[in-house]
Amino acid sequence: MADQYAVFPKDSASLAAPALRWEEPPEGPVLVLLDQTRLPAEEVELVCTDVPALVEAIRSLAVRGAPLLGIAGAYGVALAAVRGFDVAEAAELLAHARPTAVNLAYGVRRAADAYRAAVDEGASAERAAAVALAEARTLHREDARASAAMARHGLALLAELLPGGGYQVLTHCNTGALVSGGEGTALAVVGAAHRAGELRRLWVDETRPLLQGARLTAYEAARAGIAYTLLTDNAAGSLFAAGEVDAVLIGADRIAADGSVANKVGSYPLAVLARYHHVPFIVVAPSTTVDMATADGAAIEVEQRPGHEVTEVATPNAPAAGAEAGGGVPVAPLGTQAYNPAFDVTPPDLVTAIVTENGVVSPVTREGLAELCARPGPPPGPLPGPNGAVRP
């Protein structure tokens, strides 16, 4: 395992580097990640030369977000195959790096199945590795297409639900290009509304305990020129009461067959607030995030994060911020126990609509969700370039 860093300037209007890309330098193929634990202070790339390095990047949240985790998992399998490591062992390590995000296991399975099928057909190790890499690139391309389609469907839904335009949207956690092969999920819809001149204000929950809203969503909004205001998570209620929220847009890490939505902790209280104040609560996620094998919300495994992520404030300019105890500034007495679930689960009756690349389901029912996921996806779009970055 050999992690390397490269620092890029911050003065451009977009990311200095994509959230994830495949490269093939003379010393061998690598997976290059924009280290999200270092944002917004620095744009730093983390170079993963093997699967243990990628697993650590996933666990430390250097790479995160449901769709991007699926892409990373697929490329991780390809990395193991190309470099001659045990693919089955690599797939097992990757698939269990974070339990709630269903896309991670999905991406790993896609690439691993492609590799095994090639081997079973008599392909050489080199050829089977190329097949795994091609499958990872296909998934990358599909996610970019899904992102664009979700933006279109989401914008149309907002126009239907809020015909007056001038939306004031509240979002939670981070759902932009940092979590996707394209422009993201919920934040892609926000970006589409902004470009259409229909976004009046983006309210950004800071999102405890790791501040993905403050560090990442605000970072992306600022670079996109979107008018945004950051708020503490527990200030959202006062905004609803004042009539300052027209819609809530969030992503998802897993959607159960009945429409229950697991997303970053704090999403469920927003759904309750939205229902009380008659505000649409909209979930935007690719169909790959829908897990028909998970019957309902009670069956979703909720990841428990280390307590120090609550008892300490991580410094974003430190390597792997928040990954180990002692890496931040203590804000609670020594020895304080913390309850730190990474996600909560919102029941389907509190969800106004689920937007996928295949369209919208509303009201959210088991039957409607199954029908939506069975629809064909968007037509083929641009291929990723040779380094894995999707060309516009």
Side-chain angles (χ1 to χ4, degrees):
M1 179 172 65
D3 297 350
Q4 307 164 39
Y5 287 88
V7 181
F8 292 86
K10 295 174 55 183
D11 56 357
S12 63
S14 59
L15 297 179
L20 176 153
R21 73 182 191 276
W22 177 272
E23 282 197 350
E24 297 185 0
E27 59 270 23
V30 294
L31 189 60
V32 184
L33 312 172
L34 183 61
D35 187 348
Q36 297 187 32
T37 67
R38 305 284 286 267
L39 296 173
E42 294 178 299
E43 288 182 353
V44 177
E45 287 191 325
L46 173 62
V47 180
C48 296
T49 59
D50 59 18
V51 166
L54 178 57
V55 168
E56 178 56 30
I58 291 169
R59 288 176 175 164
S60 69
L61 305 184
V63 58
R64 45 159 293 283
L68 193 67
L69 285 176
I71 297 168
Y75 278 120
V77 170
L79 183 65
V82 170
R83 284 187 168 263
F85 297 117
D86 187 314
V87 171
E89 180 182 350
E92 185 72 12
L93 286 171
L94 286 163
H96 295 94
R98 295 195 70 195
T100 305
V102 68
N103 292 71
L104 176 57
Y106 171 80
V108 169
R109 186 170 61 250
R110 284 259 311 248
D113 286 351
Y115 176 84
R116 281 192 294 267
V119 170
D120 290 345
E121 292 172 2
S124 66
E126 183 179 358
R127 174 58 188 157
V131 169
L133 178 57
E135 190 66 22
R137 284 177 165 156
T138 296
L139 180 60
H140 199 157
R141 179 180 68 246
E142 290 172 357
D143 187 69
R145 294 204 310 265
S147 177
M150 286 185 287
R152 293 193 301 270
H153 294 313
L155 184 60
L157 178 63
L158 286 178
E160 179 182 340
L161 295 175
L162 305 167
Y167 315 130
Q168 297 183 98
V169 174
L170 188 148
T171 191
H172 193 70
C173 198
N174 173 249
T175 57
L178 290 169
V179 308
S180 170
E183 291 189 345
T185 57
L187 204 59
V189 178
V190 171
H194 168 67
R195 291 189 295 272
E198 296 291 350
L199 184 68
R200 179 176 160 197
R201 173 65 51 177
L202 175 64
W203 299 109
V204 178
D205 265 358
E206 64 179 354
T207 315
R208 292 286 176 164
L210 293 180
L211 305 178
Q212 285 98 323
R215 293 192 303 107
L216 305 178
T217 298
Y219 165 82
E220 290 197 77
R223 286 182 172 268
I226 294 173
Y228 74 95
T229 300
L230 182 67
L231 63 145
T232 61
D233 294 358
N234 55 6
S238 60
L239 281 180
F240 280 96
E244 296 293 327
V245 180
D246 299 319
V248 178
L249 286 173
I250 68 165
D253 283 79
R254 185 183 296 253
I255 300 174
D258 71 337
S260 296
V261 176
N263 192 54
K264 185 65 182 178
V265 67
S267 300
Y268 173 49
L270 287 177
V272 175
L273 279 168
R275 175 55 57 91
Y276 181 81
H277 291 281
H278 308 290
V279 169
F281 183 87
I282 300 166
V283 176
V284 186
S287 60
T288 51
T289 302
V290 180
D291 182 13
M292 300 306 292
T294 299
D296 52 34
I300 298 176
E301 180 183 357
V302 174
E303 174 189 350
Q304 297 292 323
R305 299 288 300 175
H308 67 77
E309 293 177 346
V310 175
T311 61
E312 300 177 3
V313 175
T315 52
N317 59 344
E324 296 181 0
V329 179
V331 294
L334 184 66
T336 297
Q337 293 187 355
Y339 173 62
N340 189 21
F343 309 96
D344 55 25
V345 179
T346 300
D349 58 337
L350 292 181
V351 179
T352 305
I354 293 177
V355 178
T356 77
E357 75 277 17
N358 298 340
V360 178
V361 59
S362 180
V364 178
T365 64
R366 186 182 300 269
E367 297 73 22
L369 194 57
E371 189 278 329
L372 182 69
C373 290
R375 295 179 192 171
L383 287 168
N387 65 355
V390 176
R391 294 193 299 264

